[in-house]
Amino acid sequence: MSDAGDSEREPSIRAEALEALLIERGLLTTADVDAVVEQYNERIGPLNGARVVARAWSDPAYRARLLEDGTAAIAELGFGGAQTDKLVVVPNTTTVHNLVVCTLCSCYPWAVLGLPPRWYKDPAYRSRAVREPRALLREFGLVLADHVEIRVWDSSAEVRYLVLPERPAPLAGLDEAALVAHVTRDAMIGVARP
Ligand code: FE
């Protein structure tokens, strides 16, 4: 039997072996692989989450459904699979700030955020998010007032989390399409604000 760490590591080793083999056989180039990774990282990923947040900011009924059942609500926009079988969306308020971590490894809602950033998998991030979240967020450039409670959500193989940031007041007049551009990956993990 392998422990949880092994089961997370093994697929990446297998993937690397497969990639090497396909390149060796001339079926794939490194550039092909990089392009797919970039697409998940920069485009498909966080952009999907940004569309979910922009919809929630624009449509109170959608926001309510999103908080009630994240998985069902992102499916309305055509998103799902990729590690979001149980997605829980946690809303920031003026008094509560949410932060997402996976203390065990690097569980992450791929379907809405793409691939996790390198720092998300860093042992320092994973331990400090729990131990001293306020100091950690300060290093990300996010200084929270003392009266703001920080809630830390530990992702797992079963449950993944997405932060619903507050809509910044200056964006009040924008429509949904324009709002998308203001929602960042980091804001949906909880280490930044839009
Ligand atoms: Fe994990």
Side-chain angles (χ1 to χ4, degrees):
M1 289 294 287
S2 61
D3 64 26
D6 283 342
S7 64
E8 282 272 326
R9 260 196 312 275
E10 196 182 291
S12 70
I13 293 169
R14 294 178 64 88
E16 275 179 47
L18 196 57
E19 180 187 340
L21 196 62
L22 290 170
I23 290 169
E24 191 184 293
R25 300 264 168 102
L27 295 171
L28 198 65
T29 66
T30 305
D32 294 334
V33 177
D34 289 347
V36 172
V37 170
E38 193 208 315
Q39 195 171 7
Y40 264 94
N41 251 346
E42 309 295 336
R43 296 200 292 275
I44 295 180
L47 187 58
N48 289 355
R51 286 178 53 200
V52 169
V53 170
R55 173 69 57 90
W57 282 350
S58 310
D59 177 348
Y62 182 78
R63 182 182 194 275
R65 293 198 298 280
L66 184 66
L67 298 181
E68 176 75 26
D69 182 343
T71 304
I74 66 168
E76 290 181 34
L77 302 189
F79 308 138
Q83 328 241 343
T84 42
D85 293 337
K86 176 122 180 67
L87 180 71
V88 173
V89 178
V90 286
N92 286 348
T93 68
T94 50
T95 54
V96 174
H97 182 87
N98 296 285
L99 175 65
V100 179
V101 65
C102 174
T103 56
L104 189 65
C105 41
S106 57
C107 299
Y108 193 73
W110 290 19
V112 277
L113 291 187
L115 302 178
R118 191 171 294 272
W119 52 257
Y120 186 82
K121 308 176 211 172
D122 188 328
Y125 175 81
R126 286 155 42 199
S127 61
R128 294 186 64 211
V130 175
R131 222 174 52 241
E132 46 172 7
R134 204 169 289 271
L136 177 72
L137 290 177
R138 208 177 296 123
E139 286 171 33
F140 274 95
L142 180 57
V143 180
L144 296 173
D146 289 340
H147 72 272
V148 175
E149 175 197 347
I150 301 175
R151 291 189 190 152
V152 180
W153 301 88
D154 193 357
S155 310
S156 69
E158 285 77 37
V159 185
R160 309 294 167 100
Y161 298 94
L162 181 76
V163 175
L164 176 60
E166 282 191 290
R167 181 171 67 183
L171 304 183
L174 297 184
D175 67 12
E176 191 179 324
L179 286 171
V180 171
H182 293 273
V183 184
T184 63
R185 176 197 69 192
D186 286 3
M188 293 181 279
I189 300 174
V191 297
R193 280 185 171 139

